[in-house]
Amino acid sequence: MNNPVTTSLVGLIGFPVKHTLSPVIHNSAIKFLGLDAVYKSFEVRPRDVKDFLAEQPAGFLGTNVTIPHKQTVIESLDQLSPVAAATGAVNTVVLRQDEDEGPYLYGDNTDVAGFLAPLLALDSDHVRRLEGGRIVILGSGGAARAVAFAVREFSPQRITIVARNPMKGNQLVEELEPVDLASEREELPQSSVTTFDHKDLDRTISEADLIVNATPIGLTPNVHITPLPDATFLSSQIVYDLVYRPRHTRLLKDAARDGALVIDGLEMLLEQAAASFVQWFGEEMPMDVVREALDAELNR
Ligand code: NAP
């Protein structure tokens, strides 16, 4: 007789998934809480995502989703959270149970809450200035999509997407424009697109209250490059880099040098993971334990 499978399985699907910190985060939490579970990375080719989710490995509770599947995975899911539907991107799949219909696949986007958490935790004029303020997002990929949606929380006056491919930037703006979950908001922000080599970029940056890097520029091993090599920052600005390897990117070092308030990508990484974890296990992630495990991993 076969032993029944008791170990629960969660993980990450992407292609490739080599340098992810997610197993360190989730497995340290699983170990601390004494759960009979494991978090694994699965390198799944785009053409195999549907089959992976239909066949589901033994003990499957759900999975994180990363590049390049965040948008295409949606066609393999049964239901989306309002945030996933609004952003058109999923980073968390949960195998849920319906009393009548049985198991079904639910998609959520915890990048949105993960991005907002470090900003909402700040009690600062910098954050208060975002209401009616100007926000610049560098990049127009999956993370930029989550950020462009998330920053509506602050009812900014203007969101500018800086894209190397303006067509992709325009597509993002067009898709996000009609979406407003917070329907009581009186006005949607004005959104526009510019490019990294536009002559007015310096002015756009100097007028911004929040600048978010949602490109991989500055990521290890390219630690000496920055998406904004010519920028001077202001002490009234927040500069937020989603890159977390290294934590102190060249962009953040430049911004800190000029006195801006800087936020690195590690806290977002933790918060989006915590928001996935609780959906799979029904338990809160022990943040201090996970922070310690991450620090150890990053200092190795
Ligand atoms: P993505 O979907 O591949 O998008 C990357 C974006 O950056 C695209 O718009 C791309 O332009 C642009 N880009 C790439 N290289 C560029 C360059 N040299 N110059 C100008 N633009 C460039 O990736 P993503 O999922 O959005 O992730 C972006 C970054 O955020 C990654 O570093 C990722 O690790 C980080 N991230 C962090 C967290 C966190 O929790 N901290 C969460 C999600 C993502 P094209 O469209 O023209 O290719």
Side-chain angles (χ1 to χ4, degrees):
M1 203 174 82
N2 289 335
N3 288 329
V5 175
T6 55
T7 302
S8 300
L9 177 73
V10 287
L12 171 70
I13 58 170
F15 191 81
V17 286
K18 285 193 180 66
H19 301 296
T20 172
L21 289 172
S22 294
V24 173
I25 295 176
H26 288 278
N27 285 324
S28 61
I30 286 169
K31 188 172 168 201
F32 179 79
L33 294 172
L35 302 175
D36 184 8
V38 63
Y39 185 103
K40 287 186 179 172
S41 301
F42 296 95
E43 202 151 274
V44 180
R45 288 176 186 280
R47 64 168 182 267
D48 297 329
V49 170
K50 219 181 185 77
D51 286 348
F52 178 89
L53 288 173
E55 289 161 15
Q56 294 165 14
F60 184 78
L61 295 184
T63 181
N64 283 135
V65 181
T66 190
I67 298 171
H69 306 318
K70 282 187 180 181
Q71 287 165 262
T72 51
V73 73
I74 289 176
E75 64 190 34
S76 306
L77 305 178
D78 302 307
Q79 201 185 99
L80 297 181
S81 71
V83 174
T87 53
V90 161
N91 78 332
T92 304
V93 174
V94 185
L95 183 64
R96 285 188 169 185
Q97 295 289 335
D98 180 88
E99 271 183 23
D100 301 320
E101 310 279 335
Y104 67 101
L105 290 169
Y106 177 82
D108 193 12
N109 189 323
T110 66
D111 281 338
V112 172
F115 168 79
L116 285 173
L119 284 169
L120 296 175
L122 287 172
D123 179 20
S124 153
D125 284 341
H126 287 82
V127 175
R128 286 185 275 279
R129 234 173 265 130
L130 299 184
E131 182 146 355
R134 294 173 183 228
I135 294 174
V136 173
I137 302 170
L138 311 175
S140 55
R145 182 173 286 267
V147 172
F149 180 76
V151 293
R152 290 177 177 213
E153 169 80 19
F154 303 108
S155 302
Q157 176 208 105
R158 171 168 282 279
I159 299 174
T160 307
I161 307 286
V162 186
R164 72 173 164 187
N165 177 347
M167 265 169 55
K168 274 186 74 176
N170 279 318
Q171 194 186 342
L172 171 57
V173 164
E174 276 168 30
E175 283 176 33
L176 286 167
E177 199 70 16
V179 178
D180 190 15
L181 273 188
S183 51
E184 73 274 12
R185 299 262 193 274
E186 283 172 11
E187 282 183 39
L188 285 173
Q190 296 170 351
S191 306
S192 59
V193 176
T194 188
T195 53
F196 286 92
D197 54 5
H198 195 281
K199 62 178 175 38
D200 285 341
L201 183 66
D202 284 351
R203 187 158 59 87
T204 305
I205 295 296
S206 66
E207 289 174 355
D209 299 293
L210 168 65
I211 299 151
V212 182
N213 178 31
T215 77
I217 301 172
L219 185 68
T220 302
N222 302 311
V223 298
H224 299 300
I225 58 171
T226 159
L228 300 173
D230 303 322
T232 307
F233 300 95
L234 304 169
S235 59
S236 58
Q237 293 179 318
I238 305 175
V239 180
Y240 190 153
D241 200 335
L242 302 200
V243 170
Y244 49 81
R245 239 189 231 260
R247 282 190 81 163
H248 305 292
T249 56
R250 158 102 191 268
L251 172 68
L252 293 191
K253 284 181 185 165
D254 290 352
R257 173 204 62 204
D258 295 343
L261 193 162
V262 301
I263 303 177
D264 66 58
L266 206 63
E267 202 56 26
M268 172 177 173
L269 184 74
L270 268 171
E271 293 283 353
Q272 61 78 30
S276 303
F277 190 89
V278 71
Q279 295 193 59
W280 296 324
F281 298 112
E283 299 214 36
E284 298 293 333
M285 183 174 262
M287 299 299 261
D288 290 346
V289 170
V290 174
R291 260 188 210 104
E292 221 172 275
L294 263 184
D295 277 345
E297 174 68 19
L298 289 170
N299 290 330
R300 260 188 338 133

